Amino acid sequence: MLIIILQDIGILCAISGILALILILAQYFFMNYGDCKISINDKRDVTVKGGLSLLGSLADNKIYIPSACGGRGTCGTCRCTVLEGGGPVLPTETPFLSPADINNHVRLACQVKVKNDIKIQIPDSIFNIRAYRVVVEEIINYTYDIRGITLKLLEPTTIDFKAGQYVQLESPKYGRVKQKATRAYSISSKPEIKDKLQLIIRKVPEGMVTTWTNEFLKEGDIVNLTGPYGEFMIKDTNADMIFVSGGSGLAPIKAMLEHLEVTGSNRYMANFFGARTLKDLYLVDYMDHFKAVFNAYEYLPVLSSPEPGDNWTGKTGYTMSYFKDKLRDPKNTEAYLCGSPGMINAVVKAMVEMGVPKDKIYFDSFS
Ligand SMILES: Cc1cc2nc3c(=O)[nH]c(=O)nc-3n(C[C@H](O)[C@H](O)[C@H](O)COP(=O)(O)OP(=O)(O)OC[C@H]3O[C@@H](n4cnc5c(N)ncnc54)[C@H](O)[C@@H]3O)c2cc1C
Ligand code: FES
């Protein structure tokens, strides 16, 4: 009986081995795309090993396309024009592409696989994005789930960026997480400081990167990031400015205000911050101190669910309820919004209803 069982196990093992071998051979012969050429903007060619994503293949050649979700196909930021060789548009891309995009050959670089020579167009500004090695200089716990993390640049030693832009931070393998991941984080320090970057990061429950940043990362650790990315920047006009943020969405607003403090500004500014309870508020005195810096600045924290023990006597409900009082001239107002997609959608709707032109509402949505 034992011999029969051992024989059966042996046969099963042999079959599994043969199947594995067939798979490896199939992969080698049928999915080995060899070397492929990526032709960029008709100016530059890079040769890559076929079979990988366009996003990863370009990154291997130090060309960093914005990819806020780290290539998972959930953010839609890795748009680029693929003129030849990209294959058909995939169902994973269509939610992020309009019919006009598809007509114009716009694709998501993380979804396109390089299987043959390919011809693409990307904005020249992408060539300014670099990889940086940084050391964690300081970590401050602003709230129970929000940290301020100061990074000192090691290689290269300086960075040029605009207030409002973001970097993509790479988490290493840590704890039980066996793969690296990258996510977008807005720079919360002013661009005039070129040798350091501050980030403000809120822990997302079970979040792959924020569990690392907020529970594992320590001062002295060496970290990799790329940047700067993004178009969320202050416009050079005299229009009134309404800032609205929530949670770690304060990060780029802080950078913008610090930058305006350096350049000087007479513009009217109302800075709304939405939080649930008192323990979700942070940098309150710091945000308030800009009153003494600018001629016409107000900081307006609003709590949606203050707890009885908070003894909160300030504004309650949602930030939108207080916009009307602060919109002096809606047509001549720019809105700068940052936070969760739900908050952004609600604020955009309210602002448009109150007469702020849609094309003057700028935002970064932390999707
Ligand atoms: C342009 C840009 C700038 C950003 N800047 C910042 C910043 O300055 N500070 C900051 O803290 N975050 C910022 N984010 C969000 C950040 O990139 C990550 O998405 C976020 O930190 C979650 O990453 P994670 O790996 O921990 O979670 P993941 O492992 O990606 O997600 C785990 C689970 O949580 C859900 N989830 C993901 N993000 C959120 C969220 N924000 N709230 C609730 N649930 C979520 C996911 O759907 C998933 O189910 C920014 C995003 C963008 C696009
Ligand atoms: S990187 Fe997020 S969709 Fe491609």
Side-chain angles (χ1 to χ4, degrees):
M1 182 66 176
L2 183 67
I3 293 175
I4 295 172
I5 292 173
L6 285 174
Q7 264 177 350
D8 286 350
I9 290 173
I11 291 167
L12 273 176
C13 287
I15 293 172
S16 312
I18 291 166
L19 282 176
L21 189 67
I22 292 172
L23 265 177
I24 290 167
L25 289 174
Q27 213 160 5
Y28 184 78
F29 286 110
F30 300 115
M31 290 162 76
N32 178 3
Y33 302 104
D35 285 347
C36 302
K37 188 175 78 181
I38 307 178
S39 168
I40 308 164
N41 296 358
D42 281 330
K43 280 187 202 155
R44 182 174 163 188
D45 292 345
V46 293
T47 303
V48 303
K49 193 171 169 305
L52 300 175
S53 75
L54 177 58
L55 181 75
S57 304
L58 290 172
D60 288 343
N61 285 278
K62 301 194 188 320
I63 299 167
Y64 303 103
I65 305 267
S67 50
C69 71
R72 292 177 302 171
T74 57
C75 70
T77 56
C78 58
R79 296 159 63 91
C80 76
T81 305
V82 179
L83 296 171
E84 285 170 20
V89 175
L90 302 174
T92 45
E93 297 175 84
T94 44
F96 299 99
L97 302 177
S98 67
D101 287 336
I102 292 172
N103 261 342
N104 292 327
H105 310 285
V106 177
R107 302 290 302 270
L108 295 189
C110 71
Q111 300 301 304
V112 174
K113 288 263 183 300
V114 183
K115 298 178 180 172
N116 40 248
D117 290 354
I118 206 167
K119 202 170 169 184
I120 66 166
Q121 258 176 357
I122 52 177
D124 282 337
S125 58
I126 285 183
F127 295 110
N128 296 330
I129 299 168
R130 304 244 177 291
Y132 292 83
R133 220 163 58 86
V134 302
V135 58
V136 179
E137 189 173 81
E138 188 183 37
I139 296 179
I140 302 170
N141 288 320
Y142 285 140
T143 72
Y144 61 99
D145 66 350
I146 294 182
R147 289 187 136 183
I149 301 174
T150 304
L151 306 165
K152 168 106 177 122
L153 274 59
L154 297 176
E155 178 63 42
T157 50
T158 58
I159 183 169
D160 283 321
F161 66 97
K162 298 262 183 351
Q165 287 195 292
Y166 67 93
V167 293
Q168 291 188 187
L169 191 64
E170 181 186 272
S171 62
K173 298 172 188 170
Y174 68 93
R176 280 184 295 169
V177 177
K178 300 289 175 242
Q179 70 199 74
K180 295 178 180 180
T182 53
R183 299 283 185 272
Y185 294 101
S186 307
I187 304 168
S188 62
S189 46
K190 58 187 166 198
E192 287 74 19
I193 302 176
K194 293 187 181 296
D195 61 340
K196 289 181 194 181
L197 296 173
Q198 195 212 29
L199 309 179
I200 296 180
I201 302 186
R202 188 177 75 86
K203 184 174 179 319
V204 166
E206 308 297 322
M208 194 186 282
V209 174
T210 55
T211 301
W212 166 68
T213 54
N214 290 33
E215 288 181 9
F216 286 74
L217 193 68
K218 24 178 226 322
E219 289 170 1
D221 284 356
I222 308 281
V223 176
N224 294 316
L225 57 84
T226 56
Y229 299 92
E231 302 297 324
F232 183 52
M233 298 168 196
I234 309 165
K235 306 295 163 215
D236 189 13
T237 69
N238 283 320
D240 286 359
M241 301 169 97
I242 307 275
F243 299 102
V244 188
S245 62
S248 47
L250 186 63
I253 309 296
K254 175 176 172 289
M256 288 175 175
L257 291 170
E258 288 182 353
H259 171 63
L260 290 171
E261 182 174 10
V262 174
T263 58
S265 176
N266 288 322
R267 295 172 70 174
Y268 170 80
M269 300 175 211
N271 179 12
F272 285 94
F273 183 76
R276 288 191 68 242
T277 68
L278 194 65
K279 67 177 191 312
D280 299 299
L281 280 187
Y282 63 103
L283 289 177
V284 174
D285 291 342
Y286 185 67
M287 285 297 128
D288 216 31
H289 101 278
F290 289 107
K291 260 196 314 216
V293 172
F294 302 117
N295 292 340
Y297 169 90
E298 284 180 276
Y299 171 54
L300 302 136
V302 183
L303 296 189
S304 62
S305 327
E307 288 166 354
D310 287 348
N311 297 319
W312 176 252
T313 54
K315 294 183 171 23
T316 55
Y318 292 101
T319 53
M320 282 88 82
S321 316
Y322 303 95
F323 291 164
K324 225 178 186 100
D325 298 343
K326 305 298 164 194
L327 284 171
R328 307 187 312 176
D329 176 6
K331 293 267 169 289
N332 187 34
T333 297
E334 289 166 3
Y336 295 87
L337 324 175
C338 194
S340 68
M343 182 278 264
I344 304 269
N345 290 341
V347 170
V348 170
K349 186 168 176 285
M351 291 257 175
V352 170
E353 279 169 9
M354 290 180 209
V356 179
K358 208 167 178 188
D359 61 356
K360 290 189 179 170
I361 305 177
Y362 312 105
F363 55 84
D364 251 354
S365 171
F366 286 3
S367 50

